[in-house]
Amino acid sequence: MTAAQRYLVPFQRRGSIVGQADLAALASVVHSAEPLSAGVWRERFEQRFREVTGARHALSVTSGTVALELAVRLLDLQPGDEVIATPQTFQATVQPLLDHDVTVRFCDVDPDTLNMDPQVLDSLITDRTKAILLVHYGGLPADMAAILARARRAGVVVVEDCAHGWGASYQGDSPGALGDIGCFSFHSTKNITTLGEGGMITLNRADWAERVERLRGNEVDGVFAPVPGFADDEPALLPWMRFSADVYRRQAVGIRGAGTNATMSEAAAAVGLVQLDALERFTERRRWIAARLDAAVSAFPRHPPPTHAGGSTHAYHLYTFFVTAGREGARDSCAPLDRRGVEVQLRYFPLHLLPEVAAARPRSGRVPQAERVWFDEHLNLPCHPGLTDEQVDHLVESVTAAMHEATALARTGRPLAVR
């Protein structure tokens, strides 16, 4: 029995809904005589993405992980460089750094938002810092004004992991156009999908966009110069030989590394375009579910609710709340939800404690807020547009019942509150 079959209200296996419009787009791709790779659908998807985000350049790739890998390639990291990262994210955010001889400094999180705490950055930025890697946790934008102010003073690149943030806004702007590089995921669980896998990298620098274009297209990432004295019409090239032209016309000045094939298929891009047009509808459904859950938990003893930085809007990729009665209180709240068929998950295990990260970066430091919140307080509840109204009703009723049960247990000596 799968988790989706076991639970009446499962956590998201699909973060969006694939419907008739998606199927029609697929049929159009299949029945046309156009190429199934690097064609018009990819161009349309990327153009629409630029329009929605406001980024000058948007280049699709095969996954959000690949987008992050390419972003790290653009940093041109050297031995001894330092990168500041959030510990509260999926491992793909920092995994590309394991291929580089750099120091990773983990920045602790704001305990209310689980986003990178700008106040902690001040003690982490040094003259060796090259980049800051942040995530918009759960769909709530990070405090970008405060983070960018510190980054700009130090000349540091800001990379946004927007895997959760699609559909959110920060001071009226979209994630992916707030920092220097944006990385999106279209995995099956994300707020829109391109048939299960896919990603996008957004940039405003033309030279970086050119490098990504080459890297994703299986070309060498390097610096080239024209061959002196070469005439454009020598040798004569037939139309089908056009891909060989650069062999004659340029010479390598410096090679940074090899590219890879990260080409999004036309079928994936076609579905992505349809999903992008449905994003607002999907996001509104998430916000409606989140509002129902907010109403349920607000009936119980509460700490002051978290504030949204900079007039931001939440995309609710994840619905997170905290039980402030230690690990036992979180367990007391979680167990009755599980009995009632509500799947609870914890996203994500603090990255600096992963064995591969700890082994490679033993001096990355502690992040006490992230550790405390994850181990003692943190719960994620299902919140995705695939839930029916009946499932949402059952979810809300189960949360209310579970909180009553946990509150009764708390009277035995563990004061319970939620935030």
Side-chain angles (χ1 to χ4, degrees):
M1 180 183 295
T2 67
Q5 292 169 326
R6 174 189 170 195
Y7 288 103
L8 295 172
V9 188
F11 215 77
Q12 55 204 39
R13 270 73 185 171
R14 292 189 179 186
S16 65
I17 299 169
V18 177
Q20 289 301 317
D22 305 88
L23 297 177
L26 281 173
S28 178
V29 171
V30 171
H31 294 146
S32 75
E34 296 295 324
L36 294 176
S37 176
V40 296
W41 283 101
R42 186 179 75 166
E43 293 176 2
R44 293 171 186 167
F45 185 35
E46 292 174 350
Q47 174 60 36
R48 181 77 177 114
F49 212 87
R50 289 192 292 272
E51 293 170 356
V52 173
T53 60
R56 293 177 186 168
H57 306 279
L59 295 102
S60 60
V61 291
T62 45
S63 71
T65 298
V66 170
L68 288 160
E69 290 171 353
L70 296 182
V72 169
R73 291 279 294 273
L74 294 177
L75 300 177
D76 295 325
L77 296 172
Q78 302 298 316
D81 286 342
E82 298 178 359
V83 177
I84 299 172
T86 176
Q88 189 67 38
T89 181
F90 184 54
Q91 63 199 45
T93 306
V94 301
Q95 203 159 251
L97 297 173
L98 296 179
D99 289 332
H100 299 268
D101 184 15
V102 298
T103 297
V104 181
R105 298 186 181 277
F106 286 98
C107 179
D108 211 350
V109 299
D110 181 311
D112 286 332
T113 67
L114 298 186
N115 279 322
M116 180 179 284
D117 187 342
Q119 300 300 322
V120 181
L121 275 177
D122 292 326
S123 64
L124 298 176
I125 296 176
T126 73
D127 57 2
R128 299 306 304 267
T129 305
K130 291 294 293 292
I132 296 170
L133 270 64
L134 60 85
V135 68
H136 303 296
Y137 178 82
L140 177 63
D143 189 351
M144 293 301 294
I147 292 171
L148 286 169
R150 290 162 171 79
R152 296 298 180 248
R153 285 198 300 268
V156 171
V157 175
V158 176
V159 180
E160 301 174 71
D161 183 340
C162 304
H164 298 181
W166 203 206
S169 67
Y170 178 82
Q171 297 181 355
D173 293 323
S174 169
L178 303 171
D180 299 296
I181 305 173
C183 300
F184 292 81
S185 171
F186 308 131
H187 182 267
S188 178
T189 60
K190 298 304 187 291
N191 292 23
I192 67 170
T193 188
T194 50
L195 295 179
E197 293 288 355
M200 190 78 72
I201 184 167
T202 53
L203 319 121
N204 286 325
R205 280 179 51 172
D207 60 326
W208 278 352
E210 182 180 354
R211 287 181 64 183
V212 172
E213 185 74 70
R214 298 185 61 79
L215 282 166
R216 73 169 180 175
N218 231 341
E219 296 187 53
V220 170
D221 179 24
V223 179
F224 298 87
V227 173
F230 181 83
D232 287 343
D233 56 353
E234 295 179 7
L237 298 177
L238 297 173
W240 61 270
M241 297 171 64
R242 66 188 183 277
F243 297 112
S244 301
D246 280 349
V247 173
Y248 302 100
R249 294 175 179 166
R250 65 178 186 165
Q251 58 185 340
V253 176
I255 302 300
R256 302 184 186 95
T260 187
N261 182 2
T263 305
M264 178 179 284
S265 74
E266 287 294 274
V271 169
L273 188 59
V274 175
Q275 290 268 303
L276 192 52
D277 286 338
L279 175 64
E280 184 175 352
R281 173 165 52 89
F282 295 155
T283 304
E284 285 305 312
R285 180 69 176 178
R286 288 177 179 273
R287 288 174 179 150
W288 177 77
I289 297 170
R292 295 280 311 272
L293 289 169
D294 281 346
V297 299
S298 66
F300 295 88
R302 290 178 64 79
H303 282 247
T307 57
H308 292 190
S312 57
T313 61
H314 205 312
Y316 287 103
H317 173 69
L318 299 174
Y319 183 87
T320 304
F321 77 103
F322 310 95
V323 178
T324 60
R327 190 174 307 182
E328 294 84 359
R331 183 192 62 199
D332 291 344
S333 302
C334 186
L337 286 168
D338 193 80
R339 289 198 304 271
R340 289 173 171 81
V342 173
E343 185 177 9
V344 178
Q345 293 196 3
L346 277 70
R347 298 290 179 91
Y348 296 89
F349 187 81
L351 290 186
H352 67 295
L353 299 178
L354 290 177
E356 62 270 26
V357 175
R361 305 288 179 263
R363 296 182 301 278
S364 59
R366 291 186 66 252
V367 284
Q369 294 285 16
E371 293 174 16
R372 177 185 61 79
V373 171
W374 196 88
F375 285 107
D376 294 345
E377 298 184 356
H378 177 196
L379 296 174
N380 295 126
L381 296 176
C383 183
H384 54 91
L387 295 178
T388 65
D389 288 354
E390 291 76 15
Q391 286 176 308
V392 175
D393 288 341
H394 181 77
L395 171 61
V396 172
E397 291 165 4
S398 298
V399 168
T400 301
M403 296 303 295
H404 276 300
E405 188 171 329
T407 301
L409 285 172
R411 295 194 185 101
T412 64
R414 293 192 299 268
L416 179 75
V418 298
R419 61 180 178 89

